[in-house]
Amino acid sequence: MAEYLVIKVEQLNKKEDDFEEREVFYFEHYAVLNEDLFRETEPKSAVISAASGHKFDVVPGIYKLVFLEEEHDRNTLVSAEFLKKVDLWQE
């Protein structure tokens, strides 16, 4: 389990034969939390089922995330544990 900076969570469209999903946007390397970090890098994203019960009540925030190792274009998130709230512009 590694620590990640989650910056945004969006609801994906509900498909007829599928469950609702959310897309979680995160940074793996967040040691320098300043404006330059967000200009120079793009966040990664993962999909998580809305039915999984994992909540992202504090965004932005540091979370412990566990991913399902797949060979797809997008990661699947299987576990999320909130650690602490952050100020994106702290140095």
Side-chain angles (χ1 to χ4, degrees), residues 1-6 9 22 24 26 30 48 52-67 77-86:
M1 227 190 244
E3 294 181 12
Y4 297 89
L5 169 62
V6 174
V9 179
R22 290 176 287 166
V24 178
Y26 62 92
Y30 58 86
I48 189 168
S52 70
H54 297 298
K55 297 187 180 198
F56 292 90
D57 294 333
V58 181
V59 175
I62 305 297
Y63 288 80
K64 282 190 176 181
L65 303 180
V66 175
F67 301 95
L77 188 60
V78 294
S79 176
E81 176 188 345
F82 173 72
L83 296 178
K84 65 181 178 178
K85 185 176 180 177
V86 297

Side-chain angles (χ1 to χ4, degrees), residues 3-29:
E3 294 181 12
Y4 297 89
L5 169 62
V6 174
I7 60 164
K8 182 169 62 170
V9 179
E10 291 183 350
Q11 184 72 39
L12 297 176
N13 292 335
K14 185 175 182 177
K15 300 176 186 172
E16 290 180 22
D17 297 333
D18 202 359
F19 47 82
E20 290 186 65
E21 294 178 322
R22 290 176 287 166
E23 187 167 17
V24 178
F25 295 88
Y26 62 92
F27 286 101
E28 289 183 272
H29 307 289

